[in-house]
Amino acid sequence: MVKMVQLLVRAEEYTHEEFVERWRGDHAELAKELPGLQKYTTAVPSDPERANHDGVVELYFDDMAALEAAFDSDVGETVMADAAEFVDLDAAPTLYLEETIEFEA
C-alpha cells in the first residue's frame, strides 16, 4: 500500500473555513472518483490560526503505478485543476510513503 500525504495551504483568497468547506465538499466528491483510490482521509488543525497548514490529506493506492495512473487519468486532471483553484499547490509539500502499521487496536 502506498500513501500520498499532502500538507495543504489554502489559496490566499480563501478563509480557512471556506477552504475546508470546498475541500471536504465538492473537491472530495471529485477525488473519490480517482481510479484505484483505496482510501481518502482529511484532517484539519484544531487551532488553524496557529498552524502552518490548513489541512492534511492522505490518499491510499495499491502501489505507485496505481497512484500515477490515477493522476494521469481524466479524473486526476480534473481533481488537480479543481485543487489549484483553492489550494496553494506550491506551498503544499507532498510525501509518497509505504505505510507500515506497527500497532492497531
Side-chain angles (χ1 to χ4, degrees), residues 8-103:
L8 301 178
V9 176
R10 70 184 183 271
E12 204 169 288
E13 61 271 18
Y14 280 79
T15 66
H16 175 75
E17 293 75 18
E18 290 168 338
F19 163 84
V20 171
E21 183 178 332
R22 171 87 183 264
W23 178 39
R24 287 184 161 169
D26 293 340
H27 185 75
E29 290 300 313
L30 291 172
K32 73 181 184 180
E33 299 301 321
L34 284 165
L37 181 63
Q38 300 296 316
K39 182 177 175 182
Y40 178 87
T41 68
T42 62
V44 294
S46 56
D47 186 357
E49 295 301 318
R50 297 184 61 181
N52 292 329
H53 298 88
D54 291 281
V56 178
V57 64
E58 298 178 329
L59 294 92
Y60 293 77
F61 295 89
D62 286 336
D63 51 36
M64 280 302 293
L67 184 152
E68 291 168 357
F71 284 97
D72 286 341
S73 71
D74 290 343
V75 173
E77 290 179 13
T78 299
V79 166
M80 291 308 294
D82 185 65
E85 293 180 12
F86 68 98
V87 176
D88 181 349
L89 295 176
D90 292 332
T94 302
L95 301 168
Y96 300 97
L97 309 165
E98 293 211 22
E99 183 175 74
T100 300
I101 298 173
E102 303 294 342
F103 171 79

Coordinates of all heavy atoms in Angstrom, one line a residue, residues 8-103:
L8 N -1.6 20.8 3.2 CA -2.3 21.8 2.3 C -2.3 23.2 3.0 O -2.5 23.4 4.2 CB -3.7 21.4 2.0 CG -3.8 20.0 1.4 CD1 -5.3 19.7 1.2 CD2 -3.1 20.0 0.0
V9 N -2.1 24.2 2.1 CA -2.2 25.6 2.4 C -3.2 26.2 1.5 O -3.2 26.0 0.3 CB -0.9 26.3 2.3 CG1 -1.0 27.8 2.5 CG2 0.2 25.7 3.2
R10 N -4.2 26.9 2.1 CA -5.3 27.4 1.2 C -4.7 28.6 0.3 O -3.8 29.2 0.7 CB -6.4 28.0 2.1 CG -6.0 29.2 2.9 CD -7.2 29.6 3.9 NE -6.9 30.8 4.5 CZ -6.2 30.9 5.7 NH1 -5.8 29.8 6.3 NH2 -6.0 32.1 6.3
A11 N -5.4 28.8 -0.8 CA -5.2 29.9 -1.6 C -5.5 31.2 -0.9 O -6.4 31.2 0.0 CB -6.0 29.8 -2.9
E12 N -4.8 32.2 -1.2 CA -4.9 33.5 -0.4 C -6.3 34.1 -0.3 O -6.6 34.7 0.7 CB -3.9 34.5 -1.0 CG -3.5 35.6 -0.1 CD -2.4 36.4 -0.7 OE1 -1.2 35.9 -0.8 OE2 -2.6 37.5 -1.1
E13 N -7.1 33.9 -1.4 CA -8.4 34.5 -1.4 C -9.4 33.7 -0.6 O -10.6 34.1 -0.5 CB -8.9 34.7 -2.8 CG -9.0 33.4 -3.6 CD -7.8 33.0 -4.4 OE1 -6.7 33.5 -4.0 OE2 -7.9 32.2 -5.3
Y14 N -9.1 32.6 0.0 CA -10.0 31.8 0.8 C -9.7 31.9 2.3 O -8.5 32.0 2.7 CB -9.8 30.3 0.5 CG -10.5 29.9 -0.8 CD1 -10.0 30.1 -2.0 CD2 -11.8 29.2 -0.7 CE1 -10.7 29.7 -3.2 CE2 -12.4 28.8 -1.9 CZ -11.9 29.1 -3.1 OH -12.5 28.7 -4.2
T15 N -10.8 32.0 3.1 CA -10.6 31.8 4.6 C -10.4 30.4 4.9 O -10.7 29.5 4.0 CB -11.8 32.3 5.3 OG1 -12.9 31.4 5.1 CG2 -12.2 33.8 5.0
H16 N -9.9 30.1 6.1 CA -9.8 28.7 6.4 C -11.1 27.9 6.3 O -11.1 26.8 5.8 CB -9.2 28.6 7.9 CG -9.1 27.2 8.4 ND1 -8.1 26.3 7.9 CD2 -9.9 26.5 9.2 CE1 -8.3 25.1 8.5 NE2 -9.4 25.2 9.3
E17 N -12.1 28.5 6.8 CA -13.5 27.9 6.8 C -13.9 27.6 5.4 O -14.5 26.6 5.1 CB -14.5 28.7 7.6 CG -14.2 28.8 9.0 CD -13.1 29.7 9.4 OE1 -12.6 30.6 8.6 OE2 -12.5 29.6 10.6
E18 N -13.7 28.6 4.5 CA -14.1 28.4 3.1 C -13.3 27.3 2.4 O -13.8 26.5 1.7 CB -13.9 29.7 2.3 CG -14.9 30.8 2.7 CD -14.5 32.2 2.1 OE1 -13.3 32.4 1.8 OE2 -15.4 33.0 2.0
F19 N -12.0 27.3 2.7 CA -11.1 26.2 2.2 C -11.7 24.9 2.6 O -11.8 23.9 1.8 CB -9.7 26.5 2.8 CG -8.8 25.3 2.6 CD1 -8.2 25.0 1.4 CD2 -8.7 24.4 3.7 CE1 -7.4 23.9 1.3 CE2 -7.9 23.3 3.6 CZ -7.2 23.0 2.4
V20 N -11.9 24.7 3.9 CA -12.4 23.4 4.5 C -13.7 23.0 3.8 O -13.9 21.8 3.4 CB -12.5 23.4 6.0 CG1 -13.2 22.1 6.5 CG2 -11.1 23.6 6.6
E21 N -14.6 23.9 3.7 CA -15.9 23.6 3.1 C -15.8 23.1 1.6 O -16.4 22.1 1.2 CB -16.8 24.8 3.1 CG -18.2 24.6 2.6 CD -19.1 25.8 2.7 OE1 -18.9 26.6 3.6 OE2 -20.0 25.9 1.8
R22 N -14.9 23.8 0.9 CA -14.7 23.4 -0.6 C -14.0 22.1 -0.6 O -14.3 21.2 -1.4 CB -13.9 24.5 -1.2 CG -13.4 24.2 -2.6 CD -14.4 24.5 -3.7 NE -13.9 24.2 -5.0 CZ -13.3 25.0 -5.9 NH1 -13.1 26.3 -5.5 NH2 -13.0 24.6 -7.1
W23 N -12.9 21.9 0.2 CA -12.1 20.7 0.2 C -12.9 19.5 0.6 O -12.8 18.4 -0.1 CB -10.9 21.0 1.2 CG -10.0 19.9 1.3 CD1 -9.5 19.0 0.4 CD2 -9.3 19.5 2.6 NE1 -8.5 18.2 1.0 CE2 -8.4 18.5 2.3 CE3 -9.4 20.0 3.9 CZ2 -7.6 17.9 3.3 CZ3 -8.6 19.5 4.8 CH2 -7.7 18.4 4.5
R24 N -13.6 19.6 1.7 CA -14.4 18.4 2.1 C -15.7 18.2 1.4 O -16.4 17.2 1.6 CB -14.6 18.5 3.7 CG -13.3 18.3 4.4 CD -13.6 18.3 5.9 NE -12.5 17.7 6.6 CZ -12.4 17.7 7.9 NH1 -13.3 18.4 8.7 NH2 -11.4 17.1 8.6
G25 N -16.1 19.2 0.6 CA -17.4 19.1 -0.1 C -17.2 18.7 -1.5 O -16.9 17.5 -1.8
D26 N -17.3 19.7 -2.4 CA -17.2 19.4 -3.9 C -15.9 18.7 -4.3 O -15.9 17.8 -5.1 CB -17.3 20.7 -4.7 CG -18.7 21.3 -4.5 OD1 -19.6 20.6 -4.2 OD2 -18.8 22.5 -4.8
H27 N -14.7 19.1 -3.7 CA -13.5 18.5 -4.1 C -13.4 17.1 -3.7 O -12.9 16.2 -4.5 CB -12.3 19.3 -3.5 CG -11.0 18.8 -4.0 ND1 -10.5 19.0 -5.2 CD2 -10.1 18.0 -3.4 CE1 -9.3 18.4 -5.4 NE2 -9.0 17.8 -4.3
A28 N -13.9 16.7 -2.5 CA -13.8 15.3 -2.0 C -14.7 14.5 -2.9 O -14.3 13.3 -3.2 CB -14.3 15.2 -0.6
E29 N -15.8 15.0 -3.4 CA -16.7 14.2 -4.3 C -15.9 13.9 -5.6 O -16.1 12.8 -6.2 CB -18.0 15.0 -4.6 CG -18.9 15.1 -3.4 CD -19.4 13.7 -2.9 OE1 -19.7 12.9 -3.8 OE2 -19.3 13.5 -1.7
L30 N -15.1 14.9 -6.1 CA -14.3 14.6 -7.3 C -13.3 13.6 -7.0 O -13.0 12.6 -7.8 CB -13.7 15.9 -7.8 CG -14.6 17.0 -8.4 CD1 -13.7 18.2 -8.7 CD2 -15.2 16.5 -9.7
A31 N -12.5 13.8 -5.9 CA -11.4 12.9 -5.6 C -11.8 11.5 -5.4 O -11.0 10.6 -5.7 CB -10.7 13.5 -4.3
K32 N -12.9 11.2 -4.8 CA -13.3 9.8 -4.5 C -13.5 9.0 -5.8 O -13.6 7.8 -5.8 CB -14.4 9.7 -3.5 CG -15.8 10.1 -4.1 CD -16.8 9.9 -2.9 CE -18.2 10.2 -3.4 NZ -19.1 10.0 -2.3
E33 N -13.6 9.7 -6.9 CA -13.7 9.1 -8.2 C -12.4 8.7 -8.9 O -12.3 8.1 -10.0 CB -14.5 9.9 -9.2 CG -15.9 10.3 -8.7 CD -16.8 9.0 -8.5 OE1 -16.7 8.1 -9.3 OE2 -17.5 9.0 -7.5
L34 N -11.3 9.0 -8.2 CA -9.9 8.7 -8.8 C -9.9 7.2 -8.9 O -10.1 6.4 -8.0 CB -8.8 9.1 -7.8 CG -8.5 10.6 -7.8 CD1 -7.7 11.0 -6.6 CD2 -7.8 11.0 -9.1
P35 N -9.5 6.7 -10.1 CA -9.4 5.3 -10.3 C -8.3 4.7 -9.4 O -7.2 5.2 -9.2 CB -8.9 5.1 -11.8 CG -8.8 6.5 -12.3 CD -9.1 7.5 -11.3
G36 N -8.6 3.5 -8.8 CA -7.7 2.8 -7.9 C -7.5 3.4 -6.5 O -6.8 2.8 -5.7
L37 N -8.2 4.4 -6.2 CA -8.1 5.0 -4.8 C -8.8 4.1 -3.8 O -9.9 3.7 -4.0 CB -8.9 6.4 -4.8 CG -8.8 7.1 -3.5 CD1 -7.4 7.5 -3.1 CD2 -9.7 8.4 -3.6
Q38 N -8.0 3.7 -2.8 CA -8.4 2.8 -1.8 C -9.0 3.4 -0.5 O -9.9 2.9 0.1 CB -7.3 1.8 -1.4 CG -6.7 1.0 -2.5 CD -7.8 0.0 -3.1 OE1 -8.5 -0.6 -2.3 NE2 -7.9 0.0 -4.4
K39 N -8.4 4.6 -0.2 CA -8.8 5.3 1.0 C -8.5 6.8 0.8 O -7.4 7.1 0.2 CB -8.1 4.7 2.2 CG -8.4 5.3 3.5 CD -7.7 4.6 4.6 CE -7.9 5.2 6.0 NZ -7.1 4.4 7.0
Y40 N -9.3 7.7 1.4 CA -9.1 9.1 1.3 C -9.4 9.7 2.6 O -10.6 9.6 3.1 CB -10.0 9.7 0.2 CG -10.0 11.2 0.0 CD1 -9.0 11.7 -0.9 CD2 -10.9 12.0 0.6 CE1 -9.0 13.1 -1.1 CE2 -10.9 13.4 0.3 CZ -9.9 13.9 -0.5 OH -9.9 15.3 -0.8
T41 N -8.5 10.3 3.3 CA -8.7 11.0 4.6 C -8.3 12.4 4.6 O -7.4 12.8 3.9 CB -8.0 10.3 5.7 OG1 -6.6 10.5 5.6 CG2 -8.3 8.8 5.8
T42 N -9.0 13.2 5.4 CA -8.7 14.6 5.5 C -8.6 14.9 7.0 O -9.3 14.3 7.9 CB -9.8 15.5 4.9 OG1 -11.0 15.3 5.6 CG2 -10.0 15.3 3.5
A43 N -7.8 15.9 7.4 CA -7.6 16.3 8.8 C -7.4 17.8 8.8 O -6.6 18.3 7.9 CB -6.5 15.6 9.5
V44 N -8.0 18.5 9.7 CA -7.8 19.9 9.8 C -7.2 20.2 11.2 O -7.5 19.5 12.2 CB -9.0 20.8 9.6 CG1 -9.5 20.6 8.2 CG2 -10.1 20.4 10.6
P45 N -6.4 21.3 11.3 CA -5.8 21.6 12.7 C -6.9 22.1 13.6 O -7.9 22.7 13.2 CB -4.8 22.8 12.4 CG -5.2 23.3 11.0 CD -5.9 22.2 10.3
S46 N -6.7 21.7 14.9 CA -7.7 22.1 15.9 C -7.6 23.6 16.2 O -8.6 24.2 16.6 CB -7.5 21.3 17.2 OG -6.2 21.5 17.6
D47 N -6.5 24.3 15.9 CA -6.3 25.7 16.1 C -5.7 26.3 14.8 O -4.5 26.5 14.7 CB -5.5 26.0 17.3 CG -5.4 27.5 17.6 OD1 -5.9 28.3 16.9 OD2 -4.7 27.8 18.6
P48 N -6.5 26.5 13.7 CA -5.9 26.9 12.4 C -5.2 28.2 12.5 O -4.3 28.4 11.6 CB -7.2 27.0 11.5 CG -8.3 27.0 12.4 CD -8.0 26.4 13.7
E49 N -5.5 29.1 13.4 CA -4.7 30.4 13.5 C -3.3 30.2 13.9 O -2.4 31.0 13.5 CB -5.4 31.3 14.5 CG -6.8 31.7 14.1 CD -6.9 32.4 12.7 OE1 -6.0 33.3 12.5 OE2 -7.8 32.1 11.9
R50 N -3.0 29.1 14.5 CA -1.6 28.8 15.0 C -0.9 27.8 14.1 O 0.3 27.5 14.4 CB -1.6 28.4 16.4 CG -2.1 29.5 17.3 CD -2.1 29.1 18.8 NE -0.7 28.8 19.1 CZ -0.2 28.5 20.3 NH1 -1.1 28.2 21.2 NH2 1.0 28.3 20.5
A51 N -1.5 27.3 13.1 CA -1.0 26.2 12.2 C -0.4 26.8 11.0 O -0.8 27.8 10.5 CB -2.1 25.2 11.9
N52 N 0.7 26.1 10.5 CA 1.3 26.5 9.2 C 0.5 26.0 8.0 O 0.8 26.4 6.9 CB 2.7 26.0 9.2 CG 3.6 26.7 10.2 OD1 3.4 27.9 10.5 ND2 4.6 26.0 10.7
H53 N -0.3 25.0 8.2 CA -1.1 24.4 7.1 C -2.6 24.4 7.5 O -2.9 24.4 8.6 CB -0.6 22.9 6.9 CG 0.9 22.9 6.5 ND1 1.9 22.8 7.4 CD2 1.4 22.9 5.3 CE1 3.0 22.8 6.8 NE2 2.8 22.9 5.5
D54 N -3.4 24.3 6.4 CA -4.8 24.3 6.6 C -5.4 22.9 6.7 O -6.6 22.8 7.1 CB -5.5 25.1 5.5 CG -5.2 26.6 5.7 OD1 -5.8 27.3 6.5 OD2 -4.3 27.1 5.0
G55 N -4.7 21.9 6.3 CA -5.2 20.6 6.4 C -4.1 19.6 5.9 O -3.1 20.0 5.3
V56 N -4.4 18.3 6.1 CA -3.6 17.2 5.7 C -4.5 16.2 4.9 O -5.6 15.9 5.5 CB -2.9 16.5 6.8 CG1 -2.1 15.3 6.4 CG2 -2.1 17.5 7.6
V57 N -4.1 15.8 3.8 CA -4.9 14.8 3.0 C -4.0 13.6 2.8 O -2.8 13.7 2.6 CB -5.4 15.4 1.7 CG1 -4.2 15.7 0.7 CG2 -6.4 14.4 1.0
E58 N -4.6 12.4 2.9 CA -4.0 11.2 2.7 C -4.8 10.4 1.7 O -6.0 10.2 1.8 CB -3.9 10.3 4.0 CG -3.0 11.0 5.0 CD -3.0 10.2 6.3 OE1 -4.0 9.5 6.6 OE2 -2.0 10.3 7.0
L59 N -4.1 9.9 0.6 CA -4.7 9.1 -0.4 C -3.9 7.8 -0.5 O -2.7 7.8 -0.6 CB -4.7 9.8 -1.8 CG -5.5 11.1 -1.9 CD1 -4.7 12.3 -1.5 CD2 -6.1 11.2 -3.3
Y60 N -4.7 6.7 -0.5 CA -4.1 5.4 -0.5 C -4.3 4.7 -1.8 O -5.4 4.6 -2.3 CB -4.7 4.5 0.7 CG -4.3 5.0 2.1 CD1 -5.0 6.1 2.6 CD2 -3.4 4.3 2.8 CE1 -4.7 6.5 3.9 CE2 -3.1 4.7 4.1 CZ -3.8 5.8 4.7 OH -3.5 6.2 5.9
F61 N -3.3 4.0 -2.3 CA -3.3 3.3 -3.5 C -2.6 1.9 -3.3 O -1.7 1.8 -2.4 CB -2.7 4.0 -4.7 CG -3.4 5.3 -5.1 CD1 -3.1 6.5 -4.4 CD2 -4.4 5.3 -6.0 CE1 -3.8 7.6 -4.8 CE2 -5.1 6.4 -6.4 CZ -4.8 7.6 -5.7
D62 N -2.8 1.0 -4.2 CA -2.1 -0.3 -4.1 C -0.6 -0.2 -4.2 O 0.1 -0.8 -3.5 CB -2.7 -1.4 -5.1 CG -4.1 -1.9 -4.7 OD1 -4.4 -1.9 -3.4 OD2 -4.8 -2.3 -5.6
D63 N -0.2 0.7 -5.2 CA 1.2 0.8 -5.4 C 1.4 2.2 -6.2 O 0.4 2.8 -6.5 CB 1.8 -0.3 -6.2 CG 1.0 -0.7 -7.5 OD1 0.4 0.3 -8.1 OD2 0.9 -1.9 -7.8
M64 N 2.7 2.5 -6.5 CA 3.0 3.8 -7.1 C 2.4 3.8 -8.6 O 2.0 4.8 -9.0 CB 4.5 4.0 -7.2 CG 5.0 4.6 -5.9 SD 4.3 6.1 -5.3 CE 4.8 7.3 -6.6
A65 N 2.4 2.7 -9.2 CA 1.8 2.6 -10.6 C 0.3 3.0 -10.5 O -0.1 3.7 -11.4 CB 2.0 1.2 -11.2
A66 N -0.4 2.5 -9.6 CA -1.8 2.9 -9.4 C -2.0 4.3 -9.1 O -2.9 5.0 -9.7 CB -2.5 2.0 -8.4
L67 N -1.2 4.9 -8.3 CA -1.2 6.3 -7.9 C -1.0 7.2 -9.2 O -1.7 8.1 -9.5 CB -0.2 6.6 -6.8 CG -0.2 8.0 -6.3 CD1 0.3 8.0 -4.8 CD2 0.7 9.0 -7.1
E68 N 0.1 6.8 -9.9 CA 0.4 7.6 -11.1 C -0.7 7.5 -12.2 O -1.0 8.5 -12.8 CB 1.8 7.1 -11.7 CG 3.0 7.4 -10.8 CD 4.2 6.7 -11.2 OE1 4.2 5.9 -12.1 OE2 5.3 7.0 -10.5
A69 N -1.2 6.3 -12.3 CA -2.3 6.1 -13.3 C -3.5 6.9 -12.9 O -4.2 7.5 -13.8 CB -2.7 4.6 -13.4
A70 N -3.8 7.0 -11.6 CA -5.0 7.8 -11.1 C -4.8 9.3 -11.5 O -5.7 9.9 -12.0 CB -5.1 7.7 -9.6
F71 N -3.6 9.8 -11.3 CA -3.4 11.3 -11.5 C -3.2 11.5 -13.0 O -3.3 12.7 -13.4 CB -2.3 11.8 -10.6 CG -2.9 12.0 -9.2 CD1 -2.6 11.1 -8.3 CD2 -3.6 13.1 -8.9 CE1 -3.1 11.3 -7.0 CE2 -4.1 13.3 -7.7 CZ -3.9 12.4 -6.7
D72 N -2.8 10.5 -13.8 CA -2.7 10.7 -15.2 C -4.0 10.6 -16.0 O -4.1 10.9 -17.1 CB -1.7 9.7 -15.8 CG -0.3 10.0 -15.5 OD1 0.0 11.1 -15.1 OD2 0.6 9.0 -15.6
S73 N -5.1 10.1 -15.2 CA -6.4 9.9 -15.8 C -7.1 11.3 -16.0 O -6.7 12.3 -15.5 CB -7.2 9.0 -14.9 OG -7.6 9.7 -13.7
D74 N -8.2 11.2 -16.8 CA -9.0 12.4 -16.9 C -9.6 12.9 -15.6 O -9.6 14.1 -15.3 CB -10.2 12.2 -17.8 CG -9.8 12.0 -19.3 OD1 -8.7 12.4 -19.6 OD2 -10.6 11.4 -20.1
V75 N -10.0 12.0 -14.7 CA -10.4 12.3 -13.4 C -9.3 13.0 -12.6 O -9.5 14.0 -11.9 CB -11.0 11.1 -12.6 CG1 -11.3 11.5 -11.2 CG2 -12.2 10.6 -13.3
G76 N -8.1 12.4 -12.7 CA -6.9 13.0 -12.0 C -6.7 14.4 -12.4 O -6.4 15.3 -11.6
E77 N -6.8 14.7 -13.7 CA -6.5 16.0 -14.2 C -7.6 17.0 -13.7 O -7.3 18.1 -13.3 CB -6.5 16.0 -15.7 CG -5.2 15.3 -16.3 CD -5.2 15.3 -17.8 OE1 -6.0 16.0 -18.5 OE2 -4.4 14.6 -18.3
T78 N -8.8 16.5 -13.6 CA -9.9 17.3 -13.1 C -9.7 17.6 -11.6 O -9.9 18.8 -11.2 CB -11.3 16.6 -13.3 OG1 -11.5 16.4 -14.7 CG2 -12.4 17.4 -12.7
V79 N -9.3 16.6 -10.9 CA -9.1 16.8 -9.4 C -8.0 17.8 -9.2 O -8.1 18.7 -8.4 CB -8.7 15.5 -8.8 CG1 -8.1 15.7 -7.4 CG2 -9.9 14.6 -8.7
M80 N -6.9 17.8 -10.0 CA -5.8 18.7 -9.8 C -6.2 20.1 -10.2 O -5.8 21.1 -9.6 CB -4.5 18.2 -10.5 CG -3.9 17.0 -9.9 SD -3.6 17.1 -8.1 CE -2.4 18.4 -8.1
A81 N -6.9 20.2 -11.3 CA -7.4 21.6 -11.7 C -8.3 22.2 -10.7 O -8.2 23.4 -10.4 CB -8.1 21.4 -13.1
D82 N -9.2 21.4 -10.1 CA -10.0 21.9 -9.1 C -9.2 22.3 -7.8 O -9.4 23.4 -7.3 CB -11.1 20.8 -8.7 CG -12.1 21.4 -7.7 OD1 -12.8 22.3 -8.0 OD2 -12.1 20.9 -6.5
A83 N -8.3 21.5 -7.4 CA -7.4 21.8 -6.3 C -6.7 23.1 -6.5 O -6.6 23.9 -5.5 CB -6.5 20.7 -6.0
A84 N -6.2 23.4 -7.7 CA -5.5 24.6 -8.0 C -6.3 25.9 -7.8 O -5.7 26.9 -7.6 CB -4.9 24.5 -9.4
E85 N -7.6 25.7 -7.7 CA -8.5 26.9 -7.5 C -8.5 27.3 -6.0 O -8.8 28.5 -5.8 CB -9.9 26.6 -8.0 CG -10.0 26.4 -9.5 CD -11.4 26.1 -10.0 OE1 -12.3 26.2 -9.2 OE2 -11.5 25.7 -11.1
F86 N -8.3 26.4 -5.1 CA -8.4 26.8 -3.7 C -7.2 26.4 -2.8 O -7.2 26.7 -1.6 CB -9.7 26.2 -3.1 CG -9.8 24.7 -3.0 CD1 -9.5 24.1 -1.8 CD2 -10.1 23.9 -4.0 CE1 -9.5 22.8 -1.6 CE2 -10.2 22.6 -3.9 CZ -9.9 22.0 -2.7
V87 N -6.2 25.7 -3.4 CA -5.0 25.3 -2.7 C -3.8 26.0 -3.3 O -3.7 26.0 -4.5 CB -4.8 23.7 -2.8 CG1 -3.5 23.3 -2.1 CG2 -6.0 23.0 -2.2
D88 N -2.9 26.4 -2.5 CA -1.6 27.0 -2.9 C -0.7 25.7 -3.1 O -0.1 25.3 -2.2 CB -1.1 27.9 -1.9 CG 0.3 28.5 -2.3 OD1 0.9 28.0 -3.3 OD2 0.7 29.4 -1.7
L89 N -0.8 25.2 -4.3 CA 0.0 23.9 -4.6 C 1.5 24.1 -4.5 O 2.1 23.1 -4.1 CB -0.4 23.4 -6.0 CG -1.9 23.0 -6.2 CD1 -2.1 22.6 -7.7 CD2 -2.2 21.9 -5.3
D90 N 2.0 25.3 -4.7 CA 3.4 25.5 -4.5 C 3.8 25.4 -3.0 O 5.0 25.1 -2.7 CB 3.9 26.8 -5.1 CG 3.8 26.8 -6.6 OD1 3.9 25.8 -7.2 OD2 3.6 27.9 -7.1
A91 N 2.9 25.6 -2.1 CA 3.2 25.6 -0.7 C 2.8 24.3 0.0 O 2.8 24.2 1.2 CB 2.5 26.8 0.0
A92 N 2.4 23.3 -0.8 CA 1.8 22.1 -0.3 C 2.8 20.9 -0.5 O 2.8 20.3 -1.6 CB 0.5 21.7 -1.0
P93 N 3.7 20.7 0.5 CA 4.6 19.6 0.3 C 3.9 18.2 0.2 O 2.9 18.0 0.8 CB 5.5 19.6 1.6 CG 4.8 20.5 2.5 CD 3.8 21.3 1.8
T94 N 4.5 17.4 -0.6 CA 3.9 16.0 -0.8 C 4.9 15.0 -0.5 O 6.0 15.0 -0.8 CB 3.5 15.9 -2.3 OG1 2.6 16.9 -2.6 CG2 2.8 14.5 -2.5
L95 N 4.4 14.0 0.3 CA 5.2 12.8 0.6 C 4.6 11.6 0.0 O 3.3 11.4 0.0 CB 5.2 12.6 2.1 CG 5.8 13.7 3.0 CD1 5.5 13.5 4.4 CD2 7.3 13.9 2.7
Y96 N 5.4 10.7 -0.5 CA 4.9 9.4 -1.0 C 5.5 8.3 -0.1 O 6.7 8.2 0.0 CB 5.4 9.1 -2.5 CG 4.8 10.2 -3.4 CD1 5.6 11.3 -3.8 CD2 3.5 10.1 -3.9 CE1 5.1 12.3 -4.6 CE2 3.0 11.1 -4.7 CZ 3.8 12.2 -5.1 OH 3.3 13.1 -5.9
L97 N 4.7 7.6 0.6 CA 5.1 6.7 1.7 C 4.6 5.3 1.5 O 3.5 5.1 1.0 CB 4.6 7.3 3.0 CG 4.9 8.7 3.3 CD1 4.0 9.2 4.4 CD2 6.3 8.9 3.6
E98 N 5.3 4.4 2.0 CA 4.9 3.0 2.2 C 4.6 2.8 3.7 O 5.5 2.9 4.5 CB 5.9 2.0 1.7 CG 6.1 2.1 0.2 CD 6.4 0.8 -0.5 OE1 6.1 -0.3 0.1 OE2 6.9 0.8 -1.6
E99 N 3.3 2.7 4.0 CA 2.9 2.6 5.4 C 3.1 1.2 6.0 O 2.8 0.2 5.3 CB 1.4 3.0 5.4 CG 0.9 3.1 6.8 CD -0.5 3.6 6.9 OE1 -1.4 2.9 6.5 OE2 -0.7 4.8 7.3
T100 N 3.6 1.2 7.2 CA 3.7 0.0 8.0 C 2.9 0.2 9.3 O 3.2 1.2 10.0 CB 5.1 -0.3 8.3 OG1 5.9 -0.5 7.1 CG2 5.2 -1.6 9.2
I101 N 1.9 -0.6 9.5 CA 1.1 -0.5 10.7 C 1.9 -1.2 11.8 O 2.1 -2.5 11.8 CB -0.3 -1.1 10.6 CG1 -1.0 -0.2 9.5 CG2 -1.0 -1.0 11.9 CD1 -2.4 -0.8 9.1
E102 N 2.4 -0.5 12.8 CA 3.1 -1.1 13.9 C 2.2 -1.6 15.0 O 2.5 -2.5 15.8 CB 4.1 -0.1 14.5 CG 5.1 0.5 13.5 CD 6.1 -0.6 12.9 OE1 6.2 -1.6 13.5 OE2 6.6 -0.3 11.9
F103 N 1.0 -0.9 15.2 CA 0.1 -1.3 16.2 C -1.3 -0.8 15.7 O -1.4 0.3 15.2 CB 0.4 -0.6 17.5 CG -0.7 -0.7 18.6 CD1 -0.8 -1.9 19.3 CD2 -1.6 0.3 18.8 CE1 -1.8 -2.1 20.2 CE2 -2.6 0.1 19.7 CZ -2.7 -1.0 20.4

